[in-house]
Amino acid sequence: MELFFYALISGILYGIFFALVGIGLNLIFGVMRMVNLAHGDFIMLGAFGAWLAYSKLNMNPLLAIPIEIFIFMIIGFGVYYAFVPRLSKSRDPEMLSFILFFGIAQIIEALAIFAFGNNQKSIPFSTLGKGSISILSQSIPFSWVVSAAISLLMIGFVYYYLYFTRTGYATRAIMSSPEEASSVGIDVSKISAFAMGIGLSLAAIAGVLAPFMIGSIDPSIGASLTTTSFAIVVIGSLGKPIGTILGGIIYGLAMMFMQTYLASWTNLVPYVILILILLVKPSGLLGKKVRNA
Amino acid sequence: MSPKEILKVENVEKRFGGLKALNKVNLSVYENEILGLVGPNGSGKTTLINVISGIYKPDAGKIYFFGKRIDGIATYKLAHLGINRTFQIPKPFHGLTVRENVEVAALYSGKQCLKSFFKHLKNFKFMEKGYCNIEDDVQTAISIVGLDKLQDKQATQLNTSEQKLLGLARALATKPKLLLVDEIAAGLNQEETDKIAEILQTLVKKSISIIVVEHLMHFIHKITSRVVVMDSGSPIFEGTLEQAANDKRVVEVFLGG
Amino acid sequence: MRKKNIRLIIGIILILVMTALFALLPKIYNNNFLLFNIMLYIALAEGLNLIYGFTGYLPFGYVGFFGIGAYSASLLILLLHVGVVPAILLGGVAASIVGIILTPLLRLSGAYFAIANLAASQAIYYIISNPHLENITQGPYGIMLSSVYDATASYNAMLIVMFFAFMLVLFFRQSRFGLSLMAIREDSITASVAGVNVVLARTIAWLLSAFVAGLCGGVFAWYTSVFYPETVFSLNISIFAIVFVLFGGAATLIGPLIGTVILYGMYNFIGISTPQYFQLIYGLLIVMLIMFLPNGVVSLFKKVKDYVP
């Protein structure tokens, strides 16, 4: 029973973090129908941002968050205007975006190797607060709790933005139909560019927390983070940002229970969940149709 | 002698979630006739076409084609049996040329190509897609709709009316006995509509029976001998268009009763 | 003579020339390893072309079939003492069997298929490399095939597989079957209305594509004779094959060939010594391709496109 509670609590904390990992990918897909295959690499860049702040500037890595939001907003606008309008006009935007962002992922990874080298970097967990905290008589590292809290806060912001602000309403209108959104006077490309910025910023923030949740970082972690994000997003249903929370928590729990009871098969978890969900309920647990005949 | 019945729809039902799109539909199509299927939007006309052409499976009821039960049979097998259709919004194979679009249909019309396959195998021509001797079928289909001059163009380069004609040519290349034409005249100008009406009339003379779904009454009036009026998933009237115009229920439905 | 027939003849000549070239090159050029790898990637790119080019499904996890081929062939040789050639053929069959298991993925469209296929290949990798299966697969410790090592014979086997892959693509390019696949790629509902058995046709393409990758895996295992799970399940193999096909031009015989020769040549030049430079160039190349030349190099030959095999 001890093990069970430990897996349960850590699974939920990880799940909240993983929800943040996936939410940016989902937002971008929902708004632009573009598959950001470089998502994991933006997370990786965010993680290196935190590492730079900690090791070069002696700052608390959490202080990197506001700076990264600013930087990644700008990057997001740049990426949007450089690629998306042209891509949208092409024969098969969804598929071509998939390959295009894969190319961007390769560029980011190569540049990160130039900048940071191939070695693994880490930040001591204690920078987020020392010791551990007792939940249901399980001792949980304090850094996990802090990371989960920040993740929850960020997801809260996304929720607030989408459901309680004017641009948020416009964003949701574009998600359901860009043509109709533009016919009622919404500037689709400006709001989409903004959504791209938010999506990348969310990835970067997840990156800042990554050294505390997934351990040491190096430029090659992007690819597996992308697949993980996909698993989470697909579980929750692609194109519905809030569903990602459910996806994250299911994923976190599956991961932790597997690690507790069948450790050597843990790596299989994201892939098996992903395939099963796609086959059994391809629309995700909360979503719409993606199959063809 | 009464004309031969080629299609018989018997108590067909189709539900989408809670919505009954088709409710106990009964309908017959006879040899060498153009049957008009009319009714307001959402009355189930296109759903019925989709059920007959095998794109949807009916939830209940039976469909007979030349006496053979065909409900629930896969679309491609229906194409082999001789039922084909066009789409309201044209769906050509965009990356292929007009000719190739029609070739696919001719090659897969269910014609037995095996004999000529072995003949071509002997002459070492088996890699060629022409071994089925479809040249005539393809050419005829293209000529009937008048796309001869455009046959080497990519389907994407055609305008809407040409794409609709292409859809018709593709359907013809499978040598159908029953053709389902879904809102082919919508969005076309008078001249284009007249041309299509003329084409459809020549087809009937080649003993192809046709069901036409259409909103444009003058088009229906011009080519059909009989109409079925649908409302909320069921046929409410069967007869000539003139009779329909004097039928109380039909008038109610159309005037938004 | 009709354009199609001319194209067929050009295609056959091209295949014969390439095969003869790779048969003779080892006599004058001693980097056998490079020649083998070029043939390997040509065959993989053409195999991937069968499914991606002709049906539009992007198999991101194509490497899964390669790995299955390599492992099945090796384990048949090591555990059941099957002869090398039958073992390689059975490796191809094994890949097709995995393909059959994965056919439900074909119900998914676009990016969903690509991601699910990627996930499947990773899942296979983690199963095969799991330490619990050490008794069967050697787990993460890899395979030693040195008992049957034969550099010349395995080189020639690759030559045959490449020839086979070429012939398949030429068949797809010229036959009514290939035309029906392209029709499905453009619009599957219209294709079924035109009389095409959509499910059957794309399953055949999928299994043939898997079969080619399985054969490649088996021959690769024979040629290298020592390998680890991460070698034969490296995602880079899928990525290389995809980029080669895209670069040259999908749904043609010559496109993947051009792509492989140019890009693999480039990789060999700068990629092995400084992989990050290569990765950077690769990334830029992909981005430029999608933005400016989404149909590959062959789309530059617009005037003669009917004759391009």
Side-chain angles (χ1 to χ4, degrees), chain A:
Chain A
M1 243 13 224
E2 285 291 291
L3 279 177
F4 177 85
F5 279 117
Y6 183 78
L8 183 71
I9 294 163
S10 56
I12 291 174
L13 291 177
Y14 263 84
I16 296 169
F17 165 71
F18 278 123
L20 181 67
V21 166
I23 199 164
L25 176 72
N26 208 0
L27 182 71
I28 291 172
F29 183 82
V31 173
M32 278 153 265
R33 302 276 132 187
M34 299 272 158
V35 185
N36 180 7
L37 216 55
H39 183 73
D41 297 273
F42 286 108
I43 297 176
M44 179 268 291
L45 287 181
F48 271 102
W51 177 78
L52 282 179
Y54 168 77
S55 65
K56 305 286 171 195
L57 306 172
N58 285 318
M59 284 161 48
N60 185 319
L62 294 184
L63 292 176
I65 291 178
I67 306 169
E68 289 193 3
I69 291 178
F70 179 72
I71 295 173
F72 281 83
M73 270 302 203
I74 296 172
I75 297 179
F77 269 80
V79 169
Y80 180 86
Y81 284 107
F83 304 114
V84 178
R86 193 182 163 98
L87 212 53
S88 307
K89 281 189 226 112
S90 69
R91 174 169 49 90
D92 183 359
E94 191 183 306
M95 206 66 232
L96 290 179
S97 72
F98 189 87
I99 303 167
L100 177 100
F101 279 101
F102 172 74
I104 294 176
Q106 299 296 302
I107 297 172
I108 294 176
E109 196 180 324
L111 293 178
I113 294 173
F114 287 129
F116 308 114
N118 261 324
N119 297 329
Q120 297 207 324
K121 306 279 191 298
S122 59
I123 306 176
F125 287 4
S126 57
T127 41
L128 281 196
K130 290 189 176 60
S132 53
I133 186 170
S134 175
I135 307 174
L136 287 174
S137 71
Q138 299 299 314
S139 119
I140 304 286
F142 196 63
S143 59
W144 290 6
V145 180
V146 173
S147 298
I150 294 173
S151 303
L152 205 55
L153 188 68
M154 292 303 155
I155 294 167
F157 277 140
V158 176
Y159 186 76
Y160 179 80
Y161 169 72
L162 286 177
Y163 290 87
F164 296 99
T165 67
R166 199 164 155 270
T167 19
Y169 268 87
T171 312
R172 285 191 296 137
I174 296 172
M175 284 186 190
S176 63
S177 165
E179 292 81 14
E180 291 187 21
S182 96
S183 76
V184 297
I186 294 170
D187 183 344
V188 173
S189 57
K190 202 164 90 192
I191 294 202
S192 302
F194 195 59
M196 178 73 96
I198 295 177
L200 299 190
S201 300
L202 288 167
I205 298 166
V208 171
L209 303 174
F212 308 103
M213 299 304 273
I214 56 178
S216 53
I217 54 165
D218 67 77
S220 71
I221 59 172
S224 69
L225 279 171
T226 303
T227 347
T228 306
S229 310
F230 259 102
I232 294 161
V233 163
V234 168
I235 298 168
S237 92
L238 205 47
K240 284 202 172 175
I242 297 307
T244 315
I245 299 172
L246 180 66
I249 289 177
I250 292 176
Y251 178 79
L253 287 172
M255 202 75 181
M256 280 304 168
F257 276 99
M258 208 64 180
Q259 213 153 56
T260 311
Y261 294 106
L262 269 173
S264 74
W265 297 97
T266 309
N267 285 332
L268 269 177
V269 172
Y271 305 109
V272 172
I273 295 184
L274 184 61
I275 296 170
L276 285 182
I277 295 277
L278 279 175
L279 289 179
V280 176
K281 193 158 185 322
S283 48
L285 295 180
L286 299 171
K288 33 183 182 183
K289 217 177 157 232
V290 295
R291 272 191 199 175
N292 53 21

